[in-house]
Amino acid sequence: MDSLITLESFVRSAQSASFSAAARRLGLTPAAVSQNVARLEARLGVRLFQRSTRGLTLTEPGERFLREVSGGLDTLQAAMANVTLAAERPSGVLKVSMAVVFGLGYLLPMMQEFLERYPDIVPDWHFDNRPVDLINEGFDAAIGGGFDLPSGLAARELSRVHVIPVASPSYLARITPPREPADLQHHEGILLRSPQTGRIRSWPLRNRAGEQVAIDMRPRMIVNDPEAVCHGAVLGLGIAFVGMMYAVPHLRSGALVRLLPDWYADIGPVSLYYAGHRQLSAKTRVFVDYIVSEFKRQDLARMFDASGAAASRAR
């Protein structure tokens, strides 16, 4: 880059026959332009200008050098301008990982306006219920929870992940509904086995008063996918602990009923992860900004909140 500035100082000085005029064009001081030309002359071992109080005159070697480099300089500057423009225009394949139901239910519906706004972006979405390695697997972004955050990655929290106990009306018709958390241990549960650890997930429930209690249900069946847990509850197979983002549509339709409405488990945030370096690509930057903005506009964080009034409206 220093060589390019030095070369441009020579060409613009030759075109205007003045260090001062070249300096105004380049946004430099006349002294800086003069020094750049002097360094170029020293590197080439020839004098390019005759200097006088009336201005600059090219020497014979200077005239020959100007003819040879002018076209190349213009070509190089055009190439640099084009690549900068391309980097600033959101375009290209955008590789993003997200959980299946979360992506289908909430993110895909956001995409029509996004694609209309950024027609040169091609989403390459991977629906997967696992934390991916953004860097080594070549993802531009990922949405989910439970990600490690090594150096070089940034995260924008979108909402908290609240889990609630639910059951179908048909299942509740066959049992005495639980009145307090301790009653759950007497009921059949659809339990989740963690795909990462292989352990059965347990859910320490809390309420708005700050009380907390650990819950263990009798296993009626065990699955390793959170959507399968939710679907099993809808089918009346037992009581299940289901994340609000999965439960909301079924609570609204009446397919599921929330049990112990004052109690829930907070298992951390769902966040948007991406490379945090300054040279973040335009396509990733606009995607991050758009998703964060849509979560706020649609008030999704409050919709997924099981602790207050928003949860009551979802029931």
mmCIF file of all heavy atoms in Angstrom, residues 91-137:
data_model
loop_
_atom_site.group_PDB
_atom_site.id
_atom_site.type_symbol
_atom_site.label_atom_id
_atom_site.label_comp_id
_atom_site.label_asym_id
_atom_site.label_seq_id
_atom_site.Cartn_x
_atom_site.Cartn_y
_atom_site.Cartn_z
ATOM 1 N N SER A 91 -23.974 -9.397 -0.174
ATOM 2 C CA SER A 91 -24.166 -10.361 -1.249
ATOM 3 C C SER A 91 -23.452 -11.655 -0.896
ATOM 4 O O SER A 91 -22.606 -11.700 -0.002
ATOM 5 C CB SER A 91 -23.628 -9.813 -2.572
ATOM 6 O OG SER A 91 -22.235 -9.580 -2.500
ATOM 7 N N GLY A 92 -23.808 -12.719 -1.606
ATOM 8 C CA GLY A 92 -23.151 -13.996 -1.440
ATOM 9 C C GLY A 92 -23.969 -14.981 -0.629
ATOM 10 O O GLY A 92 -25.074 -14.691 -0.169
ATOM 11 N N VAL A 93 -23.412 -16.168 -0.447
ATOM 12 C CA VAL A 93 -24.065 -17.241 0.302
ATOM 13 C C VAL A 93 -23.900 -16.982 1.801
ATOM 14 O O VAL A 93 -22.798 -16.723 2.275
ATOM 15 C CB VAL A 93 -23.473 -18.607 -0.080
ATOM 16 C CG1 VAL A 93 -24.066 -19.714 0.798
ATOM 17 C CG2 VAL A 93 -23.726 -18.913 -1.555
ATOM 18 N N LEU A 94 -25.002 -17.037 2.535
ATOM 19 C CA LEU A 94 -25.018 -16.786 3.977
ATOM 20 C C LEU A 94 -25.327 -18.109 4.680
ATOM 21 O O LEU A 94 -26.466 -18.575 4.684
ATOM 22 C CB LEU A 94 -26.072 -15.741 4.330
ATOM 23 C CG LEU A 94 -26.212 -15.363 5.798
ATOM 24 C CD1 LEU A 94 -24.998 -14.567 6.262
ATOM 25 C CD2 LEU A 94 -27.486 -14.557 6.027
ATOM 26 N N LYS A 95 -24.306 -18.724 5.267
ATOM 27 C CA LYS A 95 -24.437 -20.045 5.888
ATOM 28 C C LYS A 95 -24.757 -19.877 7.371
ATOM 29 O O LYS A 95 -23.953 -19.353 8.137
ATOM 30 C CB LYS A 95 -23.145 -20.845 5.700
ATOM 31 C CG LYS A 95 -23.243 -22.290 6.174
ATOM 32 C CD LYS A 95 -21.936 -23.031 5.896
ATOM 33 C CE LYS A 95 -21.993 -24.473 6.380
ATOM 34 N NZ LYS A 95 -20.712 -25.187 6.174
ATOM 35 N N VAL A 96 -25.951 -20.343 7.770
ATOM 36 C CA VAL A 96 -26.440 -20.141 9.133
ATOM 37 C C VAL A 96 -26.974 -21.461 9.680
ATOM 38 O O VAL A 96 -27.671 -22.195 8.983
ATOM 39 C CB VAL A 96 -27.552 -19.077 9.186
ATOM 40 C CG1 VAL A 96 -27.972 -18.821 10.634
ATOM 41 C CG2 VAL A 96 -27.095 -17.780 8.540
ATOM 42 N N SER A 97 -26.662 -21.749 10.944
ATOM 43 C CA SER A 97 -27.174 -22.925 11.640
ATOM 44 C C SER A 97 -28.231 -22.503 12.647
ATOM 45 O O SER A 97 -28.093 -21.469 13.310
ATOM 46 C CB SER A 97 -26.038 -23.660 12.357
ATOM 47 O OG SER A 97 -26.544 -24.675 13.209
ATOM 48 N N MET A 98 -29.285 -23.345 12.784
ATOM 49 C CA MET A 98 -30.334 -23.063 13.758
ATOM 50 C C MET A 98 -31.115 -24.337 14.049
ATOM 51 O O MET A 98 -31.089 -25.288 13.266
ATOM 52 C CB MET A 98 -31.276 -21.976 13.236
ATOM 53 C CG MET A 98 -32.114 -22.406 12.049
ATOM 54 S SD MET A 98 -32.780 -21.009 11.148
ATOM 55 C CE MET A 98 -31.279 -20.363 10.390
ATOM 56 N N ALA A 99 -31.807 -24.357 15.182
ATOM 57 C CA ALA A 99 -32.660 -25.493 15.526
ATOM 58 C C ALA A 99 -33.836 -25.564 14.562
ATOM 59 O O ALA A 99 -34.321 -24.538 14.049
ATOM 60 C CB ALA A 99 -33.163 -25.360 16.961
ATOM 61 N N VAL A 100 -34.326 -26.786 14.330
ATOM 62 C CA VAL A 100 -35.327 -27.014 13.286
ATOM 63 C C VAL A 100 -36.603 -26.209 13.537
ATOM 64 O O VAL A 100 -37.012 -25.380 12.717
ATOM 65 C CB VAL A 100 -35.653 -28.516 13.173
ATOM 66 C CG1 VAL A 100 -36.722 -28.750 12.108
ATOM 67 C CG2 VAL A 100 -34.400 -29.314 12.847
ATOM 68 N N VAL A 101 -37.249 -26.454 14.670
ATOM 69 C CA VAL A 101 -38.542 -25.817 14.925
ATOM 70 C C VAL A 101 -38.403 -24.321 15.068
ATOM 71 O O VAL A 101 -39.228 -23.542 14.569
ATOM 72 C CB VAL A 101 -39.190 -26.433 16.187
ATOM 73 C CG1 VAL A 101 -40.425 -25.642 16.604
ATOM 74 C CG2 VAL A 101 -39.568 -27.882 15.913
ATOM 75 N N PHE A 102 -37.335 -23.884 15.716
ATOM 76 C CA PHE A 102 -37.113 -22.457 15.889
ATOM 77 C C PHE A 102 -36.943 -21.788 14.530
ATOM 78 O O PHE A 102 -37.513 -20.726 14.263
ATOM 79 C CB PHE A 102 -35.875 -22.240 16.761
ATOM 80 C CG PHE A 102 -35.652 -20.816 17.172
ATOM 81 C CD1 PHE A 102 -36.573 -20.153 17.951
ATOM 82 C CD2 PHE A 102 -34.517 -20.134 16.769
ATOM 83 C CE1 PHE A 102 -36.370 -18.843 18.334
ATOM 84 C CE2 PHE A 102 -34.303 -18.824 17.156
ATOM 85 C CZ PHE A 102 -35.237 -18.182 17.936
ATOM 86 N N GLY A 103 -36.174 -22.422 13.652
ATOM 87 C CA GLY A 103 -35.970 -21.853 12.327
ATOM 88 C C GLY A 103 -37.228 -21.853 11.496
ATOM 89 O O GLY A 103 -37.583 -20.842 10.866
ATOM 90 N N LEU A 104 -37.947 -22.977 11.483
ATOM 91 C CA LEU A 104 -39.159 -23.068 10.672
ATOM 92 C C LEU A 104 -40.269 -22.171 11.203
ATOM 93 O O LEU A 104 -40.998 -21.536 10.428
ATOM 94 C CB LEU A 104 -39.651 -24.526 10.634
ATOM 95 C CG LEU A 104 -38.743 -25.539 9.934
ATOM 96 C CD1 LEU A 104 -39.355 -26.933 10.015
ATOM 97 C CD2 LEU A 104 -38.513 -25.153 8.478
ATOM 98 N N GLY A 105 -40.408 -22.142 12.533
ATOM 99 C CA GLY A 105 -41.542 -21.430 13.110
ATOM 100 C C GLY A 105 -41.368 -19.931 13.208
ATOM 101 O O GLY A 105 -42.363 -19.191 13.106
ATOM 102 N N TYR A 106 -40.126 -19.458 13.389
ATOM 103 C CA TYR A 106 -39.942 -18.037 13.671
ATOM 104 C C TYR A 106 -39.021 -17.322 12.688
ATOM 105 O O TYR A 106 -39.270 -16.159 12.352
ATOM 106 C CB TYR A 106 -39.409 -17.868 15.105
ATOM 107 C CG TYR A 106 -40.342 -18.438 16.139
ATOM 108 C CD1 TYR A 106 -40.092 -19.683 16.715
ATOM 109 C CD2 TYR A 106 -41.504 -17.768 16.516
ATOM 110 C CE1 TYR A 106 -40.963 -20.227 17.644
ATOM 111 C CE2 TYR A 106 -42.379 -18.297 17.453
ATOM 112 C CZ TYR A 106 -42.106 -19.539 18.010
ATOM 113 O OH TYR A 106 -42.976 -20.071 18.930
ATOM 114 N N LEU A 107 -37.965 -17.984 12.217
ATOM 115 C CA LEU A 107 -37.000 -17.286 11.374
ATOM 116 C C LEU A 107 -37.380 -17.306 9.896
ATOM 117 O O LEU A 107 -37.240 -16.284 9.217
ATOM 118 C CB LEU A 107 -35.607 -17.885 11.572
ATOM 119 C CG LEU A 107 -35.048 -17.720 12.985
ATOM 120 C CD1 LEU A 107 -33.682 -18.355 13.092
ATOM 121 C CD2 LEU A 107 -34.971 -16.257 13.385
ATOM 122 N N LEU A 108 -37.844 -18.434 9.391
ATOM 123 C CA LEU A 108 -38.255 -18.458 7.987
ATOM 124 C C LEU A 108 -39.331 -17.414 7.680
ATOM 125 O O LEU A 108 -39.266 -16.748 6.636
ATOM 126 C CB LEU A 108 -38.747 -19.853 7.590
ATOM 127 C CG LEU A 108 -37.697 -20.806 7.012
ATOM 128 C CD1 LEU A 108 -38.342 -22.131 6.643
ATOM 129 C CD2 LEU A 108 -37.008 -20.207 5.792
ATOM 130 N N PRO A 109 -40.333 -17.229 8.543
ATOM 131 C CA PRO A 109 -41.325 -16.191 8.258
ATOM 132 C C PRO A 109 -40.756 -14.777 8.190
ATOM 133 O O PRO A 109 -41.404 -13.878 7.657
ATOM 134 C CB PRO A 109 -42.322 -16.325 9.417
ATOM 135 C CG PRO A 109 -42.193 -17.750 9.854
ATOM 136 C CD PRO A 109 -40.740 -18.069 9.695
ATOM 137 N N MET A 110 -39.555 -14.567 8.738
ATOM 138 C CA MET A 110 -38.928 -13.251 8.670
ATOM 139 C C MET A 110 -38.231 -13.003 7.332
ATOM 140 O O MET A 110 -37.830 -11.866 7.049
ATOM 141 C CB MET A 110 -37.875 -13.098 9.777
ATOM 142 C CG MET A 110 -38.389 -13.183 11.188
ATOM 143 S SD MET A 110 -36.987 -13.032 12.356
ATOM 144 C CE MET A 110 -37.841 -13.274 13.922
ATOM 145 N N MET A 111 -38.057 -14.038 6.526
ATOM 146 C CA MET A 111 -37.129 -13.957 5.412
ATOM 147 C C MET A 111 -37.662 -13.234 4.177
ATOM 148 O O MET A 111 -36.883 -12.747 3.362
ATOM 149 C CB MET A 111 -36.667 -15.355 5.017
ATOM 150 C CG MET A 111 -35.618 -15.943 5.945
ATOM 151 S SD MET A 111 -34.083 -14.943 6.013
ATOM 152 C CE MET A 111 -34.328 -14.030 7.543
ATOM 153 N N GLN A 112 -38.972 -13.145 4.005
ATOM 154 C CA GLN A 112 -39.466 -12.513 2.788
ATOM 155 C C GLN A 112 -38.990 -11.073 2.660
ATOM 156 O O GLN A 112 -38.444 -10.667 1.626
ATOM 157 C CB GLN A 112 -40.989 -12.569 2.724
ATOM 158 C CG GLN A 112 -41.541 -11.969 1.428
ATOM 159 C CD GLN A 112 -43.038 -12.179 1.289
ATOM 160 O OE1 GLN A 112 -43.670 -12.828 2.106
ATOM 161 N NE2 GLN A 112 -43.621 -11.624 0.237
ATOM 162 N N GLU A 113 -39.156 -10.303 3.710
ATOM 163 C CA GLU A 113 -38.712 -8.909 3.669
ATOM 164 C C GLU A 113 -37.193 -8.826 3.573
ATOM 165 O O GLU A 113 -36.654 -7.978 2.868
ATOM 166 C CB GLU A 113 -39.195 -8.152 4.902
ATOM 167 C CG GLU A 113 -38.795 -6.684 4.901
ATOM 168 C CD GLU A 113 -39.271 -5.938 6.126
ATOM 169 O OE1 GLU A 113 -40.134 -6.463 6.861
ATOM 170 O OE2 GLU A 113 -38.773 -4.811 6.348
ATOM 171 N N PHE A 114 -36.495 -9.720 4.283
ATOM 172 C CA PHE A 114 -35.030 -9.712 4.237
ATOM 173 C C PHE A 114 -34.533 -9.948 2.816
ATOM 174 O O PHE A 114 -33.629 -9.253 2.333
ATOM 175 C CB PHE A 114 -34.480 -10.782 5.181
ATOM 176 C CG PHE A 114 -32.978 -10.864 5.207
ATOM 177 C CD1 PHE A 114 -32.226 -9.962 5.942
ATOM 178 C CD2 PHE A 114 -32.306 -11.848 4.493
ATOM 179 C CE1 PHE A 114 -30.840 -10.035 5.976
ATOM 180 C CE2 PHE A 114 -30.917 -11.929 4.513
ATOM 181 C CZ PHE A 114 -30.193 -11.016 5.260
ATOM 182 N N LEU A 115 -35.094 -10.935 2.125
ATOM 183 C CA LEU A 115 -34.651 -11.248 0.773
ATOM 184 C C LEU A 115 -35.036 -10.156 -0.213
ATOM 185 O O LEU A 115 -34.324 -9.911 -1.188
ATOM 186 C CB LEU A 115 -35.237 -12.590 0.331
ATOM 187 C CG LEU A 115 -34.721 -13.805 1.117
ATOM 188 C CD1 LEU A 115 -35.412 -15.072 0.634
ATOM 189 C CD2 LEU A 115 -33.213 -13.939 0.994
ATOM 190 N N GLU A 116 -36.156 -9.497 0.016
ATOM 191 C CA GLU A 116 -36.527 -8.366 -0.839
ATOM 192 C C GLU A 116 -35.564 -7.204 -0.636
ATOM 193 O O GLU A 116 -35.210 -6.500 -1.580
ATOM 194 C CB GLU A 116 -37.958 -7.923 -0.531
ATOM 195 C CG GLU A 116 -39.019 -8.922 -0.985
ATOM 196 C CD GLU A 116 -40.408 -8.528 -0.529
ATOM 197 O OE1 GLU A 116 -40.525 -7.546 0.257
ATOM 198 O OE2 GLU A 116 -41.379 -9.190 -0.938
ATOM 199 N N ARG A 117 -35.118 -7.031 0.608
ATOM 200 C CA ARG A 117 -34.206 -5.935 0.919
ATOM 201 C C ARG A 117 -32.787 -6.229 0.424
ATOM 202 O O ARG A 117 -32.070 -5.316 0.007
ATOM 203 C CB ARG A 117 -34.197 -5.708 2.437
ATOM 204 C CG ARG A 117 -33.504 -4.445 2.877
ATOM 205 C CD ARG A 117 -33.527 -4.304 4.394
ATOM 206 N NE ARG A 117 -34.868 -4.234 4.945
ATOM 207 C CZ ARG A 117 -35.132 -4.085 6.241
ATOM 208 N NH1 ARG A 117 -34.121 -4.011 7.116
ATOM 209 N NH2 ARG A 117 -36.375 -4.015 6.678
ATOM 210 N N TYR A 118 -32.395 -7.509 0.454
ATOM 211 C CA TYR A 118 -31.027 -7.893 0.070
ATOM 212 C C TYR A 118 -31.082 -9.018 -0.972
ATOM 213 O O TYR A 118 -30.823 -10.189 -0.657
ATOM 214 C CB TYR A 118 -30.235 -8.340 1.300
ATOM 215 C CG TYR A 118 -30.209 -7.307 2.403
ATOM 216 C CD1 TYR A 118 -30.938 -7.494 3.577
ATOM 217 C CD2 TYR A 118 -29.494 -6.122 2.258
ATOM 218 C CE1 TYR A 118 -30.927 -6.538 4.585
ATOM 219 C CE2 TYR A 118 -29.478 -5.165 3.255
ATOM 220 C CZ TYR A 118 -30.194 -5.375 4.413
ATOM 221 O OH TYR A 118 -30.187 -4.427 5.417
ATOM 222 N N PRO A 119 -31.420 -8.685 -2.202
ATOM 223 C CA PRO A 119 -31.621 -9.725 -3.227
ATOM 224 C C PRO A 119 -30.358 -10.472 -3.613
ATOM 225 O O PRO A 119 -30.449 -11.547 -4.224
ATOM 226 C CB PRO A 119 -32.186 -8.936 -4.415
ATOM 227 C CG PRO A 119 -31.706 -7.527 -4.207
ATOM 228 C CD PRO A 119 -31.679 -7.329 -2.721
ATOM 229 N N ASP A 120 -29.184 -9.934 -3.296
ATOM 230 C CA ASP A 120 -27.935 -10.603 -3.672
ATOM 231 C C ASP A 120 -27.439 -11.590 -2.612
ATOM 232 O O ASP A 120 -26.392 -12.212 -2.789
ATOM 233 C CB ASP A 120 -26.841 -9.564 -3.945
ATOM 234 C CG ASP A 120 -27.161 -8.704 -5.166
ATOM 235 O OD1 ASP A 120 -27.782 -9.237 -6.100
ATOM 236 O OD2 ASP A 120 -26.800 -7.511 -5.172
ATOM 237 N N ILE A 121 -28.180 -11.733 -1.502
ATOM 238 C CA ILE A 121 -27.825 -12.705 -0.469
ATOM 239 C C ILE A 121 -28.595 -14.002 -0.717
ATOM 240 O O ILE A 121 -29.805 -13.978 -0.970
ATOM 241 C CB ILE A 121 -28.131 -12.163 0.940
ATOM 242 C CG1 ILE A 121 -27.203 -10.977 1.268
ATOM 243 C CG2 ILE A 121 -27.966 -13.255 1.995
ATOM 244 C CD1 ILE A 121 -27.475 -10.362 2.630
ATOM 245 N N VAL A 122 -27.883 -15.132 -0.647
ATOM 246 C CA VAL A 122 -28.511 -16.451 -0.802
ATOM 247 C C VAL A 122 -28.374 -17.192 0.531
ATOM 248 O O VAL A 122 -27.280 -17.645 0.883
ATOM 249 C CB VAL A 122 -27.848 -17.261 -1.925
ATOM 250 C CG1 VAL A 122 -28.492 -18.647 -2.030
ATOM 251 C CG2 VAL A 122 -27.938 -16.521 -3.250
ATOM 252 N N PRO A 123 -29.452 -17.310 1.315
ATOM 253 C CA PRO A 123 -29.355 -18.040 2.579
ATOM 254 C C PRO A 123 -29.078 -19.520 2.342
ATOM 255 O O PRO A 123 -29.709 -20.165 1.510
ATOM 256 C CB PRO A 123 -30.741 -17.842 3.214
ATOM 257 C CG PRO A 123 -31.310 -16.631 2.543
ATOM 258 C CD PRO A 123 -30.775 -16.681 1.139
ATOM 259 N N ASP A 124 -28.116 -20.046 3.087
ATOM 260 C CA ASP A 124 -27.794 -21.477 3.093
ATOM 261 C C ASP A 124 -27.986 -21.925 4.531
ATOM 262 O O ASP A 124 -27.066 -21.869 5.348
ATOM 263 C CB ASP A 124 -26.356 -21.697 2.610
ATOM 264 C CG ASP A 124 -25.946 -23.162 2.628
ATOM 265 O OD1 ASP A 124 -26.826 -24.028 2.841
ATOM 266 O OD2 ASP A 124 -24.744 -23.459 2.443
ATOM 267 N N TRP A 125 -29.210 -22.367 4.851
ATOM 268 C CA TRP A 125 -29.581 -22.613 6.239
ATOM 269 C C TRP A 125 -29.489 -24.092 6.577
ATOM 270 O O TRP A 125 -29.968 -24.948 5.836
ATOM 271 C CB TRP A 125 -31.002 -22.101 6.501
ATOM 272 C CG TRP A 125 -31.030 -20.615 6.649
ATOM 273 C CD1 TRP A 125 -30.045 -19.736 6.298
ATOM 274 C CD2 TRP A 125 -32.083 -19.838 7.183
ATOM 275 N NE1 TRP A 125 -30.430 -18.459 6.592
ATOM 276 C CE2 TRP A 125 -31.676 -18.488 7.131
ATOM 277 C CE3 TRP A 125 -33.328 -20.129 7.697
ATOM 278 C CZ2 TRP A 125 -32.475 -17.448 7.578
ATOM 279 C CZ3 TRP A 125 -34.132 -19.101 8.140
ATOM 280 C CH2 TRP A 125 -33.703 -17.770 8.084
ATOM 281 N N HIS A 126 -28.875 -24.358 7.729
ATOM 282 C CA HIS A 126 -28.687 -25.722 8.204
ATOM 283 C C HIS A 126 -29.515 -25.895 9.475
ATOM 284 O O HIS A 126 -29.223 -25.280 10.496
ATOM 285 C CB HIS A 126 -27.206 -25.986 8.476
ATOM 286 C CG HIS A 126 -26.361 -25.956 7.248
ATOM 287 N ND1 HIS A 126 -25.647 -27.049 6.798
ATOM 288 C CD2 HIS A 126 -26.111 -24.966 6.340
ATOM 289 C CE1 HIS A 126 -25.013 -26.738 5.678
ATOM 290 N NE2 HIS A 126 -25.272 -25.479 5.396
ATOM 291 N N PHE A 127 -30.544 -26.722 9.394
ATOM 292 C CA PHE A 127 -31.428 -26.962 10.533
ATOM 293 C C PHE A 127 -30.866 -28.127 11.344
ATOM 294 O O PHE A 127 -30.843 -29.270 10.885
ATOM 295 C CB PHE A 127 -32.843 -27.266 10.046
ATOM 296 C CG PHE A 127 -33.474 -26.104 9.333
ATOM 297 C CD1 PHE A 127 -33.435 -26.016 7.955
ATOM 298 C CD2 PHE A 127 -34.090 -25.092 10.047
ATOM 299 C CE1 PHE A 127 -34.009 -24.941 7.296
ATOM 300 C CE2 PHE A 127 -34.671 -24.005 9.395
ATOM 301 C CZ PHE A 127 -34.626 -23.927 8.024
ATOM 302 N N ASP A 128 -30.406 -27.817 12.554
ATOM 303 C CA ASP A 128 -29.686 -28.812 13.340
ATOM 304 C C ASP A 128 -29.812 -28.454 14.815
ATOM 305 O O ASP A 128 -29.607 -27.300 15.193
ATOM 306 C CB ASP A 128 -28.209 -28.825 12.937
ATOM 307 C CG ASP A 128 -27.520 -30.125 13.297
ATOM 308 O OD1 ASP A 128 -28.076 -30.882 14.113
ATOM 309 O OD2 ASP A 128 -26.431 -30.376 12.771
ATOM 310 N N ASN A 129 -30.154 -29.434 15.633
ATOM 311 C CA ASN A 129 -30.309 -29.184 17.067
ATOM 312 C C ASN A 129 -29.013 -29.436 17.825
ATOM 313 O O ASN A 129 -28.989 -30.133 18.829
ATOM 314 C CB ASN A 129 -31.417 -30.073 17.639
ATOM 315 C CG ASN A 129 -32.779 -29.710 17.101
ATOM 316 O OD1 ASN A 129 -33.069 -28.536 16.884
ATOM 317 N ND2 ASN A 129 -33.612 -30.697 16.859
ATOM 318 N N ARG A 130 -27.923 -28.880 17.345
ATOM 319 C CA ARG A 130 -26.640 -29.038 18.029
ATOM 320 C C ARG A 130 -25.846 -27.743 17.896
ATOM 321 O O ARG A 130 -25.995 -27.010 16.918
ATOM 322 C CB ARG A 130 -25.823 -30.185 17.428
ATOM 323 C CG ARG A 130 -25.349 -29.893 16.016
ATOM 324 C CD ARG A 130 -24.514 -31.007 15.421
ATOM 325 N NE ARG A 130 -24.128 -30.676 14.047
ATOM 326 C CZ ARG A 130 -23.007 -30.060 13.712
ATOM 327 N NH1 ARG A 130 -22.144 -29.707 14.649
ATOM 328 N NH2 ARG A 130 -22.725 -29.797 12.455
ATOM 329 N N PRO A 131 -25.014 -27.438 18.873
ATOM 330 C CA PRO A 131 -24.107 -26.288 18.722
ATOM 331 C C PRO A 131 -23.031 -26.612 17.691
ATOM 332 O O PRO A 131 -22.335 -27.618 17.807
ATOM 333 C CB PRO A 131 -23.503 -26.127 20.122
ATOM 334 C CG PRO A 131 -24.402 -26.893 21.045
ATOM 335 C CD PRO A 131 -24.945 -28.025 20.221
ATOM 336 N N VAL A 132 -22.909 -25.797 16.684
ATOM 337 C CA VAL A 132 -21.911 -26.028 15.643
ATOM 338 C C VAL A 132 -20.638 -25.240 15.959
ATOM 339 O O VAL A 132 -20.632 -24.332 16.784
ATOM 340 C CB VAL A 132 -22.449 -25.620 14.257
ATOM 341 C CG1 VAL A 132 -23.662 -26.461 13.894
ATOM 342 C CG2 VAL A 132 -22.785 -24.127 14.203
ATOM 343 N N ASP A 133 -19.570 -25.605 15.277
ATOM 344 C CA ASP A 133 -18.299 -24.881 15.369
ATOM 345 C C ASP A 133 -18.272 -23.881 14.215
ATOM 346 O O ASP A 133 -18.010 -24.246 13.071
ATOM 347 C CB ASP A 133 -17.138 -25.861 15.266
ATOM 348 C CG ASP A 133 -15.783 -25.196 15.498
ATOM 349 O OD1 ASP A 133 -15.646 -23.990 15.178
ATOM 350 O OD2 ASP A 133 -14.866 -25.870 15.974
ATOM 351 N N LEU A 134 -18.570 -22.619 14.506
ATOM 352 C CA LEU A 134 -18.714 -21.628 13.447
ATOM 353 C C LEU A 134 -17.476 -21.534 12.571
ATOM 354 O O LEU A 134 -17.580 -21.526 11.343
ATOM 355 C CB LEU A 134 -19.019 -20.244 14.049
ATOM 356 C CG LEU A 134 -20.491 -19.844 14.111
ATOM 357 C CD1 LEU A 134 -21.191 -20.616 15.212
ATOM 358 C CD2 LEU A 134 -20.638 -18.350 14.334
ATOM 359 N N ILE A 135 -16.316 -21.454 13.202
ATOM 360 C CA ILE A 135 -15.093 -21.211 12.449
ATOM 361 C C ILE A 135 -14.714 -22.434 11.620
ATOM 362 O O ILE A 135 -14.557 -22.359 10.400
ATOM 363 C CB ILE A 135 -13.941 -20.815 13.397
ATOM 364 C CG1 ILE A 135 -14.347 -19.593 14.241
ATOM 365 C CG2 ILE A 135 -12.683 -20.534 12.585
ATOM 366 C CD1 ILE A 135 -14.715 -18.373 13.441
ATOM 367 N N ASN A 136 -14.592 -23.585 12.271
ATOM 368 C CA ASN A 136 -14.108 -24.779 11.571
ATOM 369 C C ASN A 136 -15.121 -25.350 10.590
ATOM 370 O O ASN A 136 -14.745 -26.027 9.636
ATOM 371 C CB ASN A 136 -13.703 -25.861 12.583
ATOM 372 C CG ASN A 136 -12.470 -25.474 13.376
ATOM 373 O OD1 ASN A 136 -11.600 -24.764 12.876
ATOM 374 N ND2 ASN A 136 -12.379 -25.925 14.616
ATOM 375 N N GLU A 137 -16.414 -25.104 10.819
ATOM 376 C CA GLU A 137 -17.432 -25.610 9.913
ATOM 377 C C GLU A 137 -17.882 -24.566 8.890
ATOM 378 O O GLU A 137 -18.759 -24.837 8.073
ATOM 379 C CB GLU A 137 -18.634 -26.131 10.704
ATOM 380 C CG GLU A 137 -18.308 -27.318 11.587
ATOM 381 C CD GLU A 137 -19.526 -27.873 12.304
ATOM 382 O OE1 GLU A 137 -20.529 -28.159 11.633
ATOM 383 O OE2 GLU A 137 -19.470 -28.006 13.547
#
